[in-house]
Amino acid sequence: MKDKSNFDEDIEDIGVSENTIGDNLTHKKFFDEAITQANIAAKKGEIPIGCVIVKDGKIVAKAYNRRERTNDATAHAEVLAIKKACKRLKNWRLTGCDIYVTLEPCMMCMGAIVNARIRKIYYCAPNNNPNLNHNVDSECIINDNYVSLLRDFFANKR
């Protein structure tokens, strides 16, 4: 059975102003929601990781791991929350947003966070498994046609 994401949740206002973002009480509120998301994941047999994305003191997206239920290797809490936030804010650039996640993000999620232009990552547990359980061999085989396409594309943008 497929688990459907609700991308149309209302933005949750927890009543804090932007100047209190660094306050420990504010961090606790956001981590509490991330942990709630992790608990949902655990109850559904997923690795218990949850996260929320915050802008201007408001939660704009929240998600939990859904890899097992969706059979999708990329269905990490962070990636799902980023997709929701982009849709809600109508912008792939999440400038001014912070992400609260229960576990330090993996390399894939860190790449998504960087690409989304998220301002800051907060996590409540370090990822003590820096070695992935699968290694992929890679090799670069230069293709001049593609290199030209890419170079020309960005030259025309500027």
Side-chain angles (χ1 to χ4, degrees), residues 92-107:
W92 67 267
R93 292 177 187 90
L94 299 179
T95 308
C97 290
D98 298 322
I99 190 167
Y100 287 77
V101 62
T102 53
L103 183 66
E104 181 181 10
C106 70
M107 290 188 310

Side-chain angles (χ1 to χ4, degrees), residues 59-80:
I59 295 174
V60 295
K62 53 189 173 182
Y64 55 87
N65 270 15
R66 294 182 182 185
R67 289 189 316 173
E68 300 301 326
R69 292 179 67 86
T70 61
N71 292 313
D72 181 351
T74 66
H76 290 205
E78 300 94 325
V79 171
L80 297 172

Side-chain angles (χ1 to χ4, degrees), residues 24-143:
N24 285 337
L25 186 57
T26 301
H27 290 307
K28 182 184 179 326
K29 288 179 182 182
F30 296 139
F31 275 128
D32 284 350
E33 183 56 41
I35 292 167
T36 296
Q37 295 297 303
N39 280 316
I40 294 169
K43 288 176 184 169
K44 294 184 177 198
E46 298 282 353
I47 296 173
I49 299 173
C51 94
V52 298
I53 296 179
V54 175
K55 184 172 178 93
D56 299 328
K58 296 177 182 169
I59 295 174
V60 295
K62 53 189 173 182
Y64 55 87
N65 270 15
R66 294 182 182 185
R67 289 189 316 173
E68 300 301 326
R69 292 179 67 86
T70 61
N71 292 313
D72 181 351
T74 66
H76 290 205
E78 300 94 325
V79 171
L80 297 172
I82 287 169
K83 287 179 179 185
K84 288 179 180 182
C86 290
K87 183 171 182 171
R88 179 153 307 116
L89 298 174
K90 296 178 176 46
N91 196 334
W92 67 267
R93 292 177 187 90
L94 299 179
T95 308
C97 290
D98 298 322
I99 190 167
Y100 287 77
V101 62
T102 53
L103 183 66
E104 181 181 10
C106 70
M107 290 188 310
M108 177 187 70
C109 292
M110 190 63 78
I113 290 165
V114 168
N115 279 306
R117 313 296 199 265
I118 289 175
R119 177 175 54 194
K120 190 162 185 177
I121 304 165
Y122 298 94
Y123 57 91
C124 54
N127 188 344
N128 292 323
N129 186 12
N131 300 319
L132 300 176
N133 60 7
H134 181 75
N135 292 314
V136 177
D137 190 24
S138 66
E139 177 181 353
C140 178
I141 302 173
I142 299 294
N143 181 298

